[in-house]
């Protein structure tokens, strides 16, 4: 087959490129990078994160306490801040998740010894029934607004706070903004903030107005939620901060939620669109009860990657529906929860609800999803993987004095080179891979990826999902030429490979030195994520 016969547009799938020896056993492919066809700037916030008061995320994960023997910076686990210093973590969402709509922010400020202990939102989850009493069940409120902002400052992330819309009022929201953003000398909340350690306002810009308001966040209809959103979004004090409100968007392919909300939001006129910065899509591939995190078959591997790939069409379809009302596309899509959701059983502690062990399969899901976001950089300015530590699709696992960076961490570390770059159209041609899904025969693309340009530096990231076969691709730069290239690959001989407390370096990226040829060809390893960084001439 002629390579060009199976060229496909990157918007529908993805790309590849190469330098060096071509393996005789490898599948053929072609990657074309159209340097003169920009898509949009890759907002660093597309590589954002999320922490919720659930299981072992905050307590034991992020927060160990100032008196702990575990190394910490003012109570925050030092191994975590060290790990994050290897990423450029742009934005961090907190305190939930479903927890957000049960949280009273006033419980989490002031002297820690005087803070109230409350019942955690997740206490009724059957998983926690056998867990001993502790922070996963009863929220000690040791980690509140001031600790969260301090954590953000240490790791260089912008805070994104999700507001309680189900069980608190619009006035409580106003007060939270006032506590965070009003200048010292102006309000009593500013005085209180100063007493709690910060004379300087926090200048929080991103505020989520509820979370999953179609479910745990109030069980509203789209029209009801639109009314609530309008109420919460009206005349919030700004204190010179350009507030960016994010609405509680759809669960996966719930297109009726998006359509109904935009109709309801603009029921009194389209000016209301100006109050909404982003519309938050949540999409988890795989759900609890449908598959083990570590023990999976080859068909399960392809099946979950295929499900993750649905992000592509979800972005396109919700974007198109938003455009029926928001014809100028003032409102952007924010994917503020995404990742793989496996069955319980691999958590590192009995109380770590949704704590799962990421493998190479999760690493490829991370990579293909970030590539998808890059290819839609014009539509999606922020995304937050769920969740940072000890939870679904996490970058780190921690328990007491043990700590490890997962496969997902390594992909984020490799992909940070894309942040701030100009995404450029990339076309990839590779034979699709057949597999058997629970619904019968199916197939997945043979290679996918994204490319971005920053001055003379071109970054190309590529996923080869084939479990056994290499893929050898010719890489063509349309509109430029490369002078040099460096390559970093994340791969493992076993698709189930993962980093654990016992074996923390099982999966780590490897660098390869290459010499550029006129017609660069690179052979992508099976089940791998590869980054190629070119210096253009
Ligand atoms: O990330 C775990 C949970 O998944 C979040 O609390 C909720 O928003 C989603 O359903």
């Amino acid at each position: 087959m002629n390579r060009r016969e199976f060229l496909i547009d990157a918007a529908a799938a993805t790309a590849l490129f190469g330098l060096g020896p071509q393996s005789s056993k490898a599948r053929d492919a072609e990657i074309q990078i159209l340097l003169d066809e920009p898509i949009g700037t890759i907002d660093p916030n597309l590589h954002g994160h999320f922490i919720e008061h659930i299981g072992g995320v905050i307590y034991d994960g992020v927060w160990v306490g100032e008196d702990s023997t575990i190394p910490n910076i003012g109570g925050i686990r030092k191994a975590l801040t060290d790990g994050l210093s290897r990423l450029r973590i742009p934005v961090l969402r907190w305190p939930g998740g479903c927890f957000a709509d049960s949280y009273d922010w006033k419980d989490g400020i002031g002297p820690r010894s005087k803070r109230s202990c409350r019942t955690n939102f997740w206490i009724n989850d059957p998983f926690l029934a056998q867990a001993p009493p502790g922070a996963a069940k009863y929220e000690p409120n040791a980690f509140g607004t001031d600790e969260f902002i301090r954590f953000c400052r240490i790791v260089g992330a912008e805070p994104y706070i999700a507001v309680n819309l189900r069980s608190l009022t619009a006035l409580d929201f106003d007060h939270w903004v006032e506590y965070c953003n009003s200048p010292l000398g102006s309000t009593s909340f500013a005085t209180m903030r100063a007493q709690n350690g910060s004379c300087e306002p926090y200048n929080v810009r991103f505020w989520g107005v509820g979370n999953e308001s179609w479910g745990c966040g109030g069980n509203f209809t789209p029209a009801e939620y639109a009314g609530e959103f309008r109420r919460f979004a009206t005349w919030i004090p700004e204190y010179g901060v350009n507030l960016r409100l994010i609405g509680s968007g759809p669960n996966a392919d719930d297109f009726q939620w998006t359509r109904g909300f935009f109709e309801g939001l603009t029921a009194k006129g389209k000016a209301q669109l100006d109050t909404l910065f982003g519309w938050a899509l949540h999409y988890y591939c795989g759900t609890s009860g449908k598959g083990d995190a570590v023990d999976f078959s080859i068909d399960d591997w392809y099946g979950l990657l295929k499900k993750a790939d649905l992000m592509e069409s979800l972005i396109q379809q919700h974007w198109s529906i938003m455009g029926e009302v928001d014809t100028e596309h003032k409102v952007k899509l924010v994917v503020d929860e995404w990742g793989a959701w496996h069955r319980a059983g691999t958590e590192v502690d009995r109380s770590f609800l949704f704590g799962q062990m990421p493998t190479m399969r999760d690493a490829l899901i991370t990579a293909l999803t970030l590539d998808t976001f890059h290819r839609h950089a014009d539509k999606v300015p922020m995304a937050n993987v769920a969740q940072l530590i000890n939870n679904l699709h996490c970058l780190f696992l921690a328990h007491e004095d043990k700590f490890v960076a997962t496969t997902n961490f390594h992909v984020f570390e490799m992909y940070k080179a894309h942040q701030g770059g100009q995404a450029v159209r990339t076309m990839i041609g590779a034979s699709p891979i057949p597999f058997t899904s629970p619904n019968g025969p199916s197939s997945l693309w043979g290679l996918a990826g994204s490319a971005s340009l920053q001055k003379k530096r071109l970054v190309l990231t590529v996923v080869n999902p084939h479990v056994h076969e290499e893929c050898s691709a010719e890489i063509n730069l349309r509109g430029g030429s490369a002078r040099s290239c460096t390559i970093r690959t994340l791969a493992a001989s076993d698709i189930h490979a993962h980093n654990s407390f016992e074996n923390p370096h099982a999966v780590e990226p490897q660098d390869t030195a290459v010499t550029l040829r006129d017609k660069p060809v690179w052979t992508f390893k099976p089940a791998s994520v590869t980054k190629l960084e070119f210096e253009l001439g």
Side-chain angles (χ1 to χ4, degrees):
M1 189 192 289
N2 184 327
R3 280 184 173 154
R4 287 173 200 282
E5 281 176 23
F6 46 81
L7 261 188
I8 41 173
D9 193 295
T14 328
L16 133 65
F17 186 61
L19 343 145
Q22 190 166 359
S23 155
S24 54
K25 282 182 251 156
R27 289 171 298 135
D28 256 1
E30 178 173 358
I31 298 174
Q32 296 208 32
I33 303 174
L34 310 178
L35 296 169
D36 298 331
E37 294 197 29
I39 298 168
T41 301
I42 295 177
D43 195 314
N45 287 346
L46 276 175
H47 297 191
H49 296 272
F50 167 42
I51 49 171
E52 175 171 5
H53 292 246
I54 180 175
V57 176
I58 301 294
Y59 302 107
D60 208 2
V62 176
W63 182 258
V64 295
E66 285 171 312
D67 301 332
S68 174
T69 54
I70 299 163
N72 66 84
I73 304 177
I76 295 164
R77 185 185 282 274
K78 186 167 179 310
L80 178 61
T81 60
D82 288 348
L84 289 173
S85 71
R86 291 176 57 195
L87 303 178
R88 279 193 289 271
I89 167 172
V91 65
L92 186 58
R93 178 175 183 248
W94 169 85
C98 294
F99 176 85
D101 278 294
S102 69
Y103 180 57
D104 185 346
W105 69 270
K106 288 170 186 144
D107 288 339
I109 58 170
R112 261 179 237 116
S113 58
K114 298 216 168 89
R115 294 186 196 173
S116 305
C117 189
R118 305 281 185 209
T119 305
N120 184 285
F121 169 87
W122 292 100
I123 192 165
N124 285 340
D125 190 284
F127 174 87
L128 288 177
Q130 303 306 319
K137 292 182 169 184
Y138 301 104
E139 169 60 48
N141 279 302
F143 188 89
T145 304
D146 302 299
E147 289 79 12
F148 169 62
I149 299 288
R150 197 147 48 75
F151 181 37
C152 287
R153 298 284 188 263
I154 293 169
V155 298
E158 182 161 3
Y160 165 17
I161 294 181
V163 163
N164 182 343
L165 176 128
R166 178 181 66 88
S167 53
L168 285 183
T169 66
L171 183 62
D172 291 285
F173 174 27
D174 288 1
H175 285 169
W176 206 354
V177 176
E178 192 171 308
Y179 181 80
C180 290
N181 294 354
S182 65
L184 188 59
S186 66
T187 70
S188 301
F189 277 126
T191 309
M192 208 184 278
R193 185 191 65 234
Q195 285 162 353
N196 293 336
S198 183
C199 294
E200 288 303 309
Y202 294 147
N203 294 332
V204 178
R205 280 196 305 161
F206 295 116
W207 296 88
V209 183
N211 169 79
E212 299 195 347
S213 303
W214 39 263
C216 64
N219 210 10
F220 295 108
T221 66
E224 287 166 350
Y225 174 63
E228 289 297 312
F229 180 90
R230 289 204 310 266
R231 196 147 64 86
F232 270 61
T234 301
W235 286 93
I236 309 161
E238 293 249 357
Y239 311 105
V241 177
N242 180 13
L243 298 186
R244 302 196 143 184
L245 303 189
I246 295 166
S248 170
N251 181 27
D253 60 356
D254 185 353
F255 302 119
Q256 194 39 47
W257 181 260
T258 293
R259 185 170 280 118
F261 172 80
F262 274 79
E263 286 169 2
L265 178 70
T266 54
K268 294 183 67 191
K270 287 205 176 181
Q272 200 70 38
L273 288 168
D274 295 329
T275 61
L276 184 62
F277 164 75
W279 182 234
L281 165 66
H282 286 187
Y283 177 55
Y284 292 97
C285 60
T287 52
S288 199
K290 284 191 186 151
D292 193 89
V294 172
D295 180 12
F296 51 83
S297 68
I298 290 178
D299 281 329
D300 291 342
W301 160 279
Y302 288 124
L304 198 61
L305 296 186
K306 175 103 182 171
K307 275 181 154 187
D309 195 45
L310 194 65
M311 186 67 84
E312 174 80 39
S313 66
L314 291 177
I315 291 172
Q316 287 173 341
Q317 291 179 80
H318 284 292
W319 184 254
S320 156
I321 292 166
M322 289 156 69
E324 291 168 7
V325 171
D326 180 16
T327 49
E328 294 170 45
H329 278 302
K330 291 178 172 172
V331 182
K332 304 297 180 195
L333 263 173
V334 168
V335 188
D336 66 14
E337 287 186 31
W338 66 269
W341 192 316
H342 305 298
R343 196 174 61 204
T346 57
E347 54 284 342
V348 298
D349 182 76
R350 192 61 200 82
S351 65
F352 286 11
L353 177 62
F354 304 153
Q356 60 190 36
M357 174 65 76
T359 66
M360 275 305 293
R361 181 172 60 163
D362 300 281
L364 266 73
I365 288 170
T366 302
L368 75 87
T369 304
L370 293 179
D371 284 327
T372 303
F373 294 151
H374 300 161
R375 296 196 302 271
H376 293 287
D378 53 334
K379 308 175 189 72
V380 191
M382 191 202 288
N384 309 75
V385 65
Q387 302 192 11
L388 183 68
I389 184 166
N390 288 341
N391 206 260
L392 309 168
H393 213 92
C394 56
L395 281 78
F396 304 100
L397 297 169
H399 182 39
E400 297 169 347
D401 60 351
K402 295 187 279 297
F403 184 83
V404 67
T406 71
T407 52
N408 292 325
F409 166 82
H410 292 299
V411 178
F412 272 94
E413 197 273 332
M414 287 165 70
Y415 274 54
K416 72 182 178 193
H418 277 297
Q419 290 183 13
Q422 182 68 228
V424 289
R425 201 155 81 88
T426 306
M427 307 203 313
I428 296 180
S431 316
I433 304 166
F435 70 96
T436 305
S437 81
N439 303 323
S442 185
S443 69
L444 179 66
W445 37 256
L447 274 187
S450 66
S452 67
L453 192 57
Q454 231 170 113
K455 295 188 179 149
K456 293 279 177 199
R457 191 174 57 107
L458 175 70
V459 180
L460 170 67
T461 45
V462 176
V463 172
N464 176 10
H466 204 293
V467 167
H468 307 299
E469 289 181 10
E470 297 177 333
C471 187
S472 183
E474 194 177 296
I475 302 168
N476 293 309
L477 304 188
R478 296 262 204 91
S481 59
R483 284 193 317 191
S484 62
C485 179
T486 56
I487 298 184
R488 176 165 274 215
T489 306
L490 188 73
S493 51
D494 178 2
I495 56 174
H496 309 94
H498 54 271
N499 296 336
S500 60
F501 295 145
E502 297 73 31
N503 194 359
H505 305 294
V507 185
E508 288 192 329
Q510 303 296 329
D511 292 322
T512 316
V514 291
T515 310
L516 267 181
R517 303 191 312 209
D518 283 352
K519 275 261 178 220
V521 174
W522 183 250
T523 301
F524 293 93
K525 289 188 172 180
S528 67
V529 179
T530 306
K531 175 178 68 168
L532 301 95
E533 285 190 79
F534 298 95
E535 210 45 52
L536 300 185

